Amino acid sequence: MSEKLGVLAIGHGSKLPYNKEIVESVANNIAGKHTDVVVKVGFMNMNEPSIEDALASFAGTGVTTIAAVPVFLASGVHITKDIPKILGLEEGSEKTSIQLDGNNVTIVYGKPLGGDELIADLVFKRAQEAL
């Protein structure tokens, strides 16, 4: 069986619609640039689909590995405890698996966005826009 990648963009969730729209926009941008990848979104709370429902929505897509990546800037309790628990990760592990369509599908947990140079460039761009 050939490898097929899924990406689950994980958002926090919010009562305000803008949060969901941003996470969906990030996911749509990934999907637009990487047409061979199945991209889904899931939210920790307050928005749908939940992370669990988003994982289940990969059924029928043929993915063999799902990279679950938080669309968060930095690590905190949600990144280190809450989301790993929802994903079914054992403490200290960044990899687990689920059953989809009778197949074992690997889930790997990515890091938050962090202080990457691309983030710094975006902050500078926003500063220039503000000026």
Side-chain angles (χ1 to χ4, degrees):
M1 173 167 45
S2 63
E3 293 292 312
K4 185 169 182 182
L5 177 62
V7 172
L8 174 58
I10 300 173
H12 181 280
S14 173
K15 292 178 183 177
L16 301 174
Y18 188 67
N19 177 278
K20 182 177 183 179
E21 293 166 2
I22 290 296
V23 177
E24 289 173 337
S25 177
V26 168
N28 289 337
N29 283 327
I30 295 167
K33 291 180 180 183
H34 305 279
T35 56
D36 57 332
V37 175
V38 179
V39 183
K40 305 280 185 176
V41 297
F43 298 91
M44 211 180 73
N45 57 39
M46 292 187 252
N47 291 120
E48 295 293 329
S50 66
I51 294 170
E52 298 93 336
D53 289 345
L55 286 171
S57 75
F58 281 100
T61 65
V63 297
T64 55
T65 302
I66 298 169
V69 182
V71 185
F72 287 57
L73 195 56
S75 283
V77 174
H78 293 322
I79 300 297
T80 61
K81 302 281 187 209
D82 299 336
I83 295 171
K85 182 177 179 181
I86 294 168
L87 292 173
L89 294 168
E90 291 184 23
E91 191 166 338
S93 176
E94 295 176 349
K95 188 175 183 180
T96 190
S97 63
I98 59 172
Q99 287 289 310
L100 287 176
D101 303 321
N103 297 310
N104 198 37
V105 175
T106 300
I107 298 174
V108 292
Y109 185 43
K111 304 284 185 217
L113 303 176
D116 189 280
E117 184 178 339
L118 292 171
I119 299 296
D121 290 346
L122 182 57
V123 170
F124 187 73
K125 177 182 175 185
R126 295 294 184 247
Q128 290 177 313
E129 291 170 354
L131 296 173

